């Protein structure tokens, strides 16, 4: 466990002081272990400690758009999900549903079941329904190039969620916009949390799904950031497709415990769901729920992840996507598209949720986003 910090220091001078203390090994930061750094990366450790402290700030307010077109009427959206077993995909779908109801639109969700054939069939079905707009929920549109061409030919605007590597509009594939946090920021802060918490001395297992380009890019960025501290060793990378996580992760974790034993001190996963599936194997191996290994999810911050964190059951932190806010943003982006306006350009900031700053919550979203969007829409 690491110390309880209900109050987050935000002043720059306080942050600099905290970083200096961490480097010299006196005192403790919000997510760090005891004792000084055992490695030769004091500058990296100081930088990581400051970044983590800022990201753990639980008082982030809504700084999204304040103007836009009034609500269009009579619109219908179809949300095509990579798989509704992915909690992030499902969480955004729930946010879209809530926002669509608030703006007065209809929504249909079609599950792609996590397979290329299923996703292609789902998107084909969505186009056949002739909706006002289609959401790409968590899959690479390149897998559905024929269907995307059909949507473009039918003049159906498409908004992505985690569809490509960067937020904002995309020409190839053609998306009105892609809603996501910046993967570079999420990857960096996840690795920084491990560097800061371990004081630069960790053995790390990385869980990823290389079949998803977005996730593959995220895991590579995590590797790069971990490598900035010489005392942080990447023990192995477990490439497990998200649809197979429930069946493959427990066996993989059992093997990892046997293989690395006490050298495995921390884990990072491109999605929190890996830790739901890892928990039984870690428990069976006699590992304590509060760690080690200390586990952080680099997305998506679904309710079950918060529950594991708050109850200290094999997950210590998450970098949550503001799933509900992003669902509302998707609806707002469509409203801009229907009015012939450009995308909003809003990108949510990164946040680290722990038991110390979540106050028992099971999600994280910037405060005030619902009211902000309703004002824009005139609702």
């Amino acid at each position: 466990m690491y110390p309880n910090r209900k109050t987050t220091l935000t002043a720059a001078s306080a942050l600099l002081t905290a970083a200096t203390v961490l480097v010299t090994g006196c005192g403790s930061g919000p997510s760090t272990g005891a004792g000084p750094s055992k490695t030769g990366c004091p500058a990296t450790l100081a930088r990581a400690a400051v970044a983590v402290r800022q990201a753990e700030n639980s008082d982030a307010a809504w700084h999204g758009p304040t103007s836009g077109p009034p609500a269009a009427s009579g619109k219908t959206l179809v949300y095509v999900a990579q798989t509704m077993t992915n909690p992030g995909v499902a969480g955004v779908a729930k946010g879209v549903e809530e926002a669509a109801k608030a703006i007065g639109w209809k929504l249909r969700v079609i599950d792609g079941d996590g397979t290329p054939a299923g996703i292609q069939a789902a998107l084909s079905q969505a186009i056949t329904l002739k909706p006002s707009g289609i959401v790409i929920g968590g899959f690479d549109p390149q897998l559905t190039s024929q269907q995307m061409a059909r949507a473009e030919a039918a003049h159906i605007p498409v908004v992505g969620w985690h569809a490509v590597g960067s937020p904002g509009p995309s020409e190839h594939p053609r998306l009105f916009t892609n809603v996501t946090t910046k993967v570079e920021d999420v990857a960096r802060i996840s690795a920084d949390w491990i560097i800061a918490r371990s004081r630069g001395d960790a053995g790390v297992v990385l869980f990823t799904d290389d079949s998803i380009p977005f996730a593959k890019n995220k895991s590579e960025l995590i590797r790069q950031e971990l490598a900035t501290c010489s005392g942080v060793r990447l023990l192995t990378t477990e490439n497990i497709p998200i649809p197979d996580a429930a069946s493959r992760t427990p066996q993989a974790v059992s093997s990892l415990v046997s293989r690395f034993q006490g050298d495995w001190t921390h884990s990072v996963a491109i999605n929190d769901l890996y830790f739901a599936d890892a928990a039984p194997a870690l428990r069976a191996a006699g590992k304590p729920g509060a760690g080690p290994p200390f586990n952080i999810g680099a997305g998506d911050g679904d309710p079950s992840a918060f529950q594991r964190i708050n109850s200290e059951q094999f997950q210590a932190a998450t970098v949550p996507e503001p799933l509900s806010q992003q669902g509302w943003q998707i609806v707002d982006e469509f409203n801009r598209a229907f009015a012939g306006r450009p995308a909003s350009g809003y990108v949510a900031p990164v946040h680290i949720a722990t038991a110390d700053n979540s106050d028992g919550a099971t999600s994280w979203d910037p405060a005030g986003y619902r009211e902000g969007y309703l004002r824009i829409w005139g609702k």
Side-chain angles (χ1 to χ4, degrees):
M1 284 293 292
Y2 40 93
N4 188 330
R5 294 283 180 151
K6 292 293 185 182
T7 303
T8 304
L9 299 176
T10 56
S13 59
L15 291 172
L16 181 59
T17 300
T20 303
V21 167
L22 284 169
V23 173
T24 58
C26 301
S28 59
S31 292
T32 58
S37 170
K38 299 179 182 179
T39 72
C41 67
T44 297
L45 179 56
R47 176 191 53 75
V50 171
V52 168
R53 188 179 295 276
Q54 291 173 326
E56 287 182 342
N57 183 357
S58 58
D59 299 323
W62 171 243
H63 296 295
T66 57
S67 63
S73 61
K75 301 299 182 180
T76 301
L77 302 180
V78 176
Y79 184 99
V80 181
Q82 182 249 352
T83 171
M84 289 296 281
T85 62
N86 182 325
V89 172
V92 173
K94 184 177 180 181
V96 173
E97 180 181 23
E98 182 185 74
K101 182 177 180 180
I103 202 172
W105 298 351
K106 294 180 179 179
L107 173 70
R108 178 166 176 177
V109 177
I110 304 177
D111 193 342
D113 295 324
T115 67
I119 293 168
Q120 290 166 5
L123 187 51
S124 292
Q125 182 182 355
I127 296 166
T128 300
L129 293 171
K130 299 180 179 180
S132 308
I134 295 173
V135 185
I136 299 297
F139 62 88
D140 179 9
Q142 302 289 3
L143 296 173
T144 56
S145 56
Q146 293 182 355
Q147 289 80 8
M148 290 293 291
R150 286 177 54 202
E152 184 175 352
H155 304 289
I156 302 173
V158 178
V159 170
W161 180 80
H162 283 207
V164 294
S166 301
S170 170
E171 286 295 324
H172 305 289
R174 183 173 293 279
L175 301 173
F176 177 74
T177 195
N178 182 53
V179 176
T180 179
T181 51
K182 291 183 179 179
V183 66
E184 298 88 352
D185 294 344
V186 173
R188 185 180 302 113
I189 202 65
S190 303
D192 283 348
W193 182 86
I194 291 175
I195 293 169
R197 198 201 182 286
S198 69
R199 292 189 179 273
D201 182 20
V204 184
V205 171
L206 170 60
F207 294 91
T208 189
D209 180 353
D210 284 347
S211 70
I212 302 174
F214 184 91
K216 184 177 182 179
N217 181 40
K218 184 191 292 187
S219 61
E220 181 56 35
L221 292 168
I222 291 170
R223 289 189 195 97
Q224 292 175 11
E225 184 67 9
L226 290 173
T228 63
C229 184
S230 58
V232 175
R233 304 163 306 283
L234 181 61
L235 301 176
T236 189
T237 298
E238 290 293 316
N239 177 25
I240 301 174
I242 285 175
D244 299 336
S247 60
R248 290 179 53 182
T249 303
Q251 183 177 354
V253 168
S254 296
S255 177
L256 290 168
V257 171
S258 176
R259 179 180 172 189
F260 295 112
Q261 301 183 22
D263 290 338
W264 179 13
T265 64
H266 293 75
S267 310
V268 56
I270 55 94
N271 191 297
D272 293 296
L273 64 81
Y274 289 99
F275 298 129
D277 299 318
L282 290 171
R283 188 177 295 110
K287 296 293 183 179
F294 302 99
N295 302 321
I296 182 169
D300 292 309
D302 65 277
S304 66
F306 277 84
Q307 290 165 5
R308 288 189 297 276
I309 291 165
N310 292 331
S311 60
E312 297 184 341
Q313 289 299 305
F314 305 103
Q315 187 167 351
T318 185
V319 183
E321 294 281 333
L323 300 176
S324 180
Q325 178 271 312
Q326 289 176 335
W328 280 67
Q329 181 180 348
I330 287 169
V331 170
D332 182 66
E333 301 292 2
F334 275 118
N335 196 52
R336 294 168 190 272
F338 300 149
R341 303 280 189 89
S344 72
Y346 176 71
V347 180
V350 292
H351 175 70
I352 297 175
T354 68
D356 291 338
N357 68 9
S358 67
D359 292 326
T362 57
S363 63
W364 178 81
D365 293 283
Y369 70 91
R370 289 184 178 90
E371 294 82 359
Y373 284 124
L374 290 172
R375 280 194 296 270
I376 292 173
W377 301 338
K379 292 291 183 176

